[in-house]
Amino acid sequence: MRLVSDFYNENIESSIGGTVKHPVQQRQRREHQLLPHQFVTLGSLKRWGELQEDNPRQRPTDYSQFAANLGTPNHSTSPFPCDGQINNRFVIWEGDISQLKVDAITNSTDETLTEKNRISKKIFGRAGVALTSAILHDVRRCKTGEVRVTPGFFLPSKYIIHTVGPTYSEKFKTASEATLYACYRNVLYKARELGLRTVALCDISSVQRNFPLVTAAHIALRTIRRFLEQYRTEIVIVCLESNAHSIYAVLAPLYFPRDQLEERSALWQLPKDIGGLYGEPQLADRQIRIIHNPQHSVMIEADDDSDTSPHDLEMGSDVEYSNINLSLAAQLTGTAHSFTQMQGDLDRQRLLGDRPRMIYESVLDDGLEGIEHQER
């Protein structure tokens, strides 16, 4: 018995310039596709909360007993408390994502959606030529950080959510991390928008994009955790190859603790930067001050083009990154209260390290002279 999709794929092959396949050629192509008994179902996968029960392992260190020597932990209370309901909707699986029979799987690709990596080759090979046609004629392009959706065609999954991960650069570290976060978040929320219950994520930050595996794992895990906290029915499967799987297995207890001991241990092992409300990277060191500053143009000309440059934030107002003391700031703006919580000494040290001191001092002197002139 032939499927409707068989006829569809054959028509697509002709429409994109291909020739009608010989029966032997068609059989060879179908060898790459999966039979129902080769599908991997959700029921066959161990949930994160079940792994601890079935696989006894070395217990994590309880750092609280060494507090006298270690000092204080990175977090006083757990930002990711133990939650069995969340752990039961989270899966880490080492395997082939194209075999999963779920609502949606993820494909990491480039902006033309034609990247040939290990994951995409399996997905395109098993989905059939209809997927190639859909990409060439319907989807065409996808910007970095965004997502596009296609049917799964011959895959056991209903949909494929394509996303374009960033190429990592140390100079633009902040932008790279923010874009990777956007990839994971957009995939999850697109699945939510489509009403899908099970979504499988691949390692979007592939090795060929030069993204540090540990940093990428922290971003992925905290984003997934915040998503599962917000929505209580979806199930997320992280499908990994062996090298990434070992890293995720070590870091996952920090974001998905399964008992009180893992939760206490995470207080010490979690990084201080655990992202924002949705897991997004935070820019805590950028303290901006919105004031009327006539010398703002001078500051801009003296600024550099590094990743921490003020040009990264376009506020539509005069933005000053200098450490004018509180009394002077109050006279310039009339809003001293908003400055009392700023850490001026840290701002000064950070800014003077990158910006020529002579220009900074000239701006400060001009401001003082203006105040003195007004007082006379």
Side-chain angles (χ1 to χ4, degrees):
M1 179 178 178
R2 302 187 68 193
L3 301 175
V4 174
S5 54
D6 288 337
F7 294 100
Y8 179 77
N9 271 344
E10 290 172 2
N11 292 333
I12 290 296
E13 287 174 350
S14 301
S15 68
I16 63 176
T19 58
V20 177
K21 301 291 184 181
H22 187 275
V24 174
Q25 293 175 308
Q26 291 180 343
R27 184 171 63 254
Q28 290 174 341
R29 176 171 59 82
R30 291 196 181 96
E31 288 177 356
H32 296 285
Q33 297 166 2
L34 298 172
L35 298 175
H37 71 273
Q38 296 174 301
F39 297 166
V40 177
T41 62
L42 180 63
S44 66
L45 302 178
K46 291 291 185 182
R47 310 295 175 92
W48 177 247
E50 298 172 339
L51 290 178
Q52 188 181 37
E53 301 171 0
D54 296 344
N55 300 311
R57 59 187 179 81
Q58 184 179 358
R59 303 297 293 158
T61 302
D62 187 357
Y63 292 96
S64 59
Q65 60 183 318
F66 306 110
N69 297 324
L70 297 177
T72 58
N74 291 334
H75 303 276
S76 57
T77 59
S78 176
F80 305 101
C82 180
D83 190 321
Q85 201 269 355
I86 290 178
N87 291 341
N88 197 44
R89 294 185 291 118
F90 177 61
V91 178
I92 296 180
W93 180 62
E94 181 181 342
D96 182 356
I97 196 170
S98 67
Q99 292 182 298
L100 286 173
K101 188 176 183 180
V102 292
D103 292 335
I105 64 172
T106 308
N107 174 42
S108 178
T109 184
D110 58 14
E111 292 194 349
T112 63
L113 289 88
T114 58
E115 181 177 283
K116 302 298 182 184
N117 56 58
R118 287 191 295 268
I119 296 174
S120 65
K121 284 181 179 179
K122 291 179 180 179
I123 291 175
F124 276 78
R126 289 171 174 166
V129 71
L131 175 57
T132 303
S133 177
I135 294 298
L136 293 177
H137 295 104
D138 300 327
V139 182
R140 298 183 181 180
R141 295 191 66 84
C142 178
K143 294 181 180 180
T144 303
E146 296 183 356
V147 299
R148 297 291 184 271
V149 182
T150 63
F153 298 107
F154 280 112
L155 292 175
S157 60
K158 297 177 183 178
Y159 297 96
I160 307 168
I161 303 179
H162 308 263
T163 188
V164 181
T167 299
Y168 184 83
S169 169
E170 186 62 33
K171 181 178 180 180
F172 301 107
K173 176 177 179 290
T174 301
S176 299
E177 293 180 359
T179 305
L180 181 61
Y181 156 77
C183 290
Y184 283 108
R185 179 167 171 81
N186 287 338
V187 168
L188 293 171
Y189 278 80
K190 176 56 70 173
R192 170 76 182 179
E193 178 185 323
L194 295 173
L196 308 181
R197 183 170 174 267
T198 55
V199 55
L201 298 170
C202 65
D203 182 13
I204 297 174
S205 60
S206 61
V207 175
Q208 64 194 76
R209 289 189 172 84
N210 199 39
F211 216 107
L213 281 175
V214 173
T215 301
H218 278 289
I219 294 173
L221 288 168
R222 73 191 188 206
T223 305
I224 296 169
R225 167 70 192 223
R226 293 309 188 196
F227 176 81
L228 293 177
E229 287 176 346
Q230 186 176 8
Y231 301 107
R232 308 295 288 184
T233 59
E234 283 73 12
I235 298 173
V236 177
I237 304 163
V238 181
C239 183
L240 303 164
E241 296 182 335
S242 58
N243 60 330
H245 182 270
S246 59
I247 294 175
Y248 275 74
V250 171
L251 296 180
L254 306 183
Y255 299 92
F256 298 87
R258 292 164 289 191
D259 55 34
Q260 295 303 313
L261 179 56
E262 285 188 342
E263 184 176 317
R264 288 197 304 271
S265 179
L267 297 178
W268 302 81
Q269 294 179 305
L270 275 169
K272 291 184 178 180
D273 178 14
I274 55 170
L277 182 61
Y278 302 102
E280 70 276 14
Q282 295 290 282
L283 309 179
D285 62 317
R286 297 186 184 184
Q287 301 288 350
I288 61 174
R289 299 171 178 181
I290 304 177
I291 66 174
H292 179 67
N293 178 16
Q295 303 296 336
H296 179 53
S297 59
V298 177
M299 301 294 288
I300 290 297
E301 292 174 1
D303 208 348
D304 56 28
D305 60 351
S306 67
D307 185 42
T308 56
S309 167
H311 301 307
D312 293 342
L313 300 177
E314 294 295 333
M315 302 298 295
S317 305
D318 290 329
V319 181
E320 182 186 5
Y321 286 77
S322 61
N323 179 38
I324 301 176
N325 64 55
L326 295 182
S327 61
L328 175 58
Q331 294 179 65
L332 289 172
T333 66
T335 57
H337 177 70
S338 63
F339 286 88
T340 57
Q341 298 178 353
M342 296 291 187
Q343 297 181 349
D345 292 341
L346 294 178
D347 286 351
R348 178 187 179 94
Q349 183 179 11
R350 175 175 60 82
L351 291 168
L352 294 183
D354 297 330
R355 186 173 289 109
R357 183 177 180 84
M358 182 174 60
I359 294 180
Y360 170 84
E361 297 294 350
S362 68
V363 173
L364 183 58
D365 290 341
D366 289 344
L368 289 170
E369 290 176 4
I371 295 298
E372 293 173 356
H373 178 72
Q374 291 178 6
E375 291 177 350
R376 294 194 188 103

